[in-house]
């Protein structure tokens, strides 16, 4: 099916209709944040599910109950998805934990006024592309990617769900509320998960012992999360996520783009990246 059939355009950005009926977008527009809310913000395929495991475990200081009994999408719900309307979020105790894929410019009025905490997770866009290419092939509510060349053209011009990776990252890097935003990359988490857990905990205002930090990091490895049915999306019916085609927790590595891209595709990607990111001062781990 085509973009016109599967996507809605909101503030100039494609969103899958299946997840975002108009009421859910209105819900977020009218949402009231609390100053101590913690929102993990990501461009899709940058490590959202991973954070939905790590952050609740830090909050509970290593108590496993929530990750063993509550699916990731209710544990740390996406504010812009329809489920957020069903969860009585105003009755959750502080600090509430949320996720969002929205661009900075798409956040609602209350966000800018109340300034909740944000953990912004970035990933090498070539790996985001690769993960997204496989994901679009298995999720029924997304437009099929076509060939790598076809998907590359759409991805680089932002004609995919959630729009341009470049605009997403630049928007959040330029966020006004700098003291309230923590920037971390998927690759840093791959390199040293223990250290990443401890930095995230500090940002959340939690002081964890070395033992608890390690316990959380061990629980959040790719291998361990793949076995957790509350986090591996096995609860989602096959008609929606066909994990026989591609698993949601697919490879969990940095650099898988090398297995997908030809030399020419890499050069095309790099040229667009260089142009679009030329004014960005932030030093990415993959540069
Ligand atoms: P791959 O498709 O490259 O394997 P999101 O949750 O934002 O949709 O991102 C999904 C990507 O994060 C997938 O990447 C998935 O495998 C990866 N991921 C999820 N949990 C992970 C973990 N514990 N360790 C490493 N990668 C993880």
């Amino acid at each position: 099916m085509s973009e016109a059939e599967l996507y809605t355009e909101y503030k100039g950005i494609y969103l899958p209709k299946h997840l975002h009926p108009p009421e859910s977008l209105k819900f977020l527009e009218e949402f009231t944040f609390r100053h101590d809310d913690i929102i993990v913000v990501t461009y899709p395929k940058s490590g959202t599910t991973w954070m939905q495991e790590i952050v609740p475990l830090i909050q509970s200081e290593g108590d496993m109950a929530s990750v063993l009994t509550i699916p990731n999408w209710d544990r740390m719900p996406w504010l812009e998805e329809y489920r957020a309307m069903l969860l009585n979020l105003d009755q959750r105790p502080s600090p509430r934990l949320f996720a969002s894929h929205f661009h900075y410019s798409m956040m609602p009025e209350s966000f800018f006024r109340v300034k909740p905490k944000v953990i912004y997770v970035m990933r090498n866009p070539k790996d985001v592309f690769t993960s997204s290419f496989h994901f679009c092939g298995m999720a029924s509510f997304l437009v099929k990617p076509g060939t790598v060349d076809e998907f590359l053209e759409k991805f680089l011009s932002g004609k995919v769900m959630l729009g341009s990776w470049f605009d997403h990252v630049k928007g959040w890097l330029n966020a006004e509320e700098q003291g309230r935003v923590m920037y971390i990359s998927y690759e840093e988490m791959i390199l040293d998960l223990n250290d990443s857990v401890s930095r995230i905990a500090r940002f959340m205002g939690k002081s964890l012992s070395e033992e608890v930090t390690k316990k959380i990091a061990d629980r959040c490895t790719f291998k361990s999360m793949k076995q957790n049915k509350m986090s591996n999306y096995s609860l989602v019916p096959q008609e929606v996520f066909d994990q026989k085609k591609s698993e949601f927790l697919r490879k969990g590595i940095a650099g898988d783009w090398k297995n997908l891209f030809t030399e020419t595709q890499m050069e095309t990607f790099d040229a667009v990246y260089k142009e679009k990111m030329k004014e960005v001062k932030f030093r990415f781990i993959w540069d």
Side-chain angles (χ1 to χ4, degrees):
M1 282 200 276
S2 67
E3 281 78 5
E5 288 162 297
L6 290 174
Y7 297 162
T8 184
E9 218 173 309
Y10 179 70
K11 302 192 179 179
I13 304 286
Y14 279 150
L15 300 177
K17 282 184 198 167
H18 170 80
L19 301 174
H20 310 277
E23 317 83 85
S24 71
L25 298 170
K26 187 157 181 292
F27 173 84
L28 178 54
E29 279 166 16
E30 292 169 359
F31 190 74
T32 306
F33 283 96
R34 295 182 199 150
H35 189 60
D36 57 5
D37 286 340
I38 297 169
I39 313 163
V40 163
V41 182
T42 56
Y43 185 86
K45 313 322 287 177
S46 301
T48 329
T49 317
W50 201 354
M51 278 293 185
Q52 286 169 319
E53 199 90 348
I54 295 172
V55 170
L57 282 172
I58 292 175
Q59 190 51 42
S60 70
E61 302 183 5
D63 182 334
M64 301 289 164
S66 80
V67 297
L68 292 176
T69 57
I70 309 172
N72 62 302
W73 55 81
D74 282 354
R75 211 188 291 147
M76 233 177 138
W78 279 271
L79 287 168
E80 63 273 13
E81 288 191 4
Y82 71 97
R83 274 197 75 77
M85 295 186 292
L86 315 175
L87 297 171
N88 295 322
L89 298 181
D90 53 345
Q91 276 156 44
R92 289 199 173 184
S94 289
R96 299 178 300 181
L97 309 177
F98 300 128
S100 177
H101 283 320
F102 267 15
H103 291 231
Y104 183 67
S105 59
M106 296 164 86
M107 295 309 274
E109 182 272 332
S110 163
F111 174 85
F112 298 106
R113 191 166 35 81
V114 175
K115 305 186 195 321
K117 278 188 184 174
V118 170
I119 303 173
Y120 187 65
V121 189
M122 297 167 281
R123 185 180 189 186
N124 182 335
K126 290 196 203 112
D127 280 333
V128 170
F129 173 92
T130 305
S131 183
S132 201
F133 178 77
H134 294 287
F135 183 54
C136 289
M138 69 82 118
S140 65
F141 53 86
L142 298 176
V143 175
K144 293 280 163 287
T147 63
V148 175
D149 278 329
E150 284 163 352
F151 192 58
L152 192 59
E153 202 180 313
K154 288 185 185 180
F155 185 89
L156 293 177
S157 58
K159 300 220 162 51
V160 287
M161 63 150 172
L162 268 309
S164 157
W165 178 89
F166 305 99
D167 292 347
H168 201 286
V169 169
K170 286 193 279 188
W172 280 102
L173 284 177
N174 288 331
E176 259 176 45
E177 305 76 11
Q178 282 297 316
R180 303 288 292 167
V181 186
M182 172 182 186
Y183 298 99
I184 187 162
S185 66
Y186 179 96
E187 289 74 13
E188 287 166 88
M189 286 155 59
I190 289 277
L191 276 177
D192 193 338
L193 188 51
N194 218 65
D195 179 62
S196 300
V197 168
S198 119
R199 282 168 48 212
I200 298 164
R202 237 174 290 134
F203 178 73
M204 290 170 60
K206 284 274 178 191
S207 96
L208 303 179
S209 67
E210 270 178 41
E211 194 192 341
V212 170
T213 306
K214 184 174 179 315
K215 182 177 159 194
I216 294 173
D218 288 348
R219 177 79 223 174
C220 296
T221 60
F222 183 73
K223 197 168 158 222
S224 154
M225 281 182 59
K226 229 175 137 76
Q227 284 156 8
N228 182 1
K229 68 175 189 305
M230 293 296 153
S231 308
N232 63 15
Y233 283 91
S234 57
L235 298 175
V236 174
Q238 200 186 337
E239 307 85 78
V240 180
F241 280 169
D242 188 349
Q243 299 215 46
K244 292 214 168 77
K245 283 193 186 144
S246 178
E247 286 179 290
F248 190 99
L249 288 154
R250 193 183 58 90
K251 279 201 180 169
I253 58 169
D256 191 39
W257 63 269
K258 292 176 193 146
N259 297 314
L260 187 73
F261 280 31
T262 61
E263 195 73 16
T264 314
Q265 286 159 348
M266 183 192 76
E267 284 166 9
T268 305
F269 201 110
D270 287 348
V272 175
Y273 180 91
K274 203 168 161 208
E275 172 57 28
K276 295 221 190 242
M277 302 302 276
K278 63 174 187 268
E279 264 131 44
V280 176
K281 300 217 165 54
F282 192 90
R283 281 291 121 243
F284 299 101
I285 193 167
W286 56 78
D287 275 338

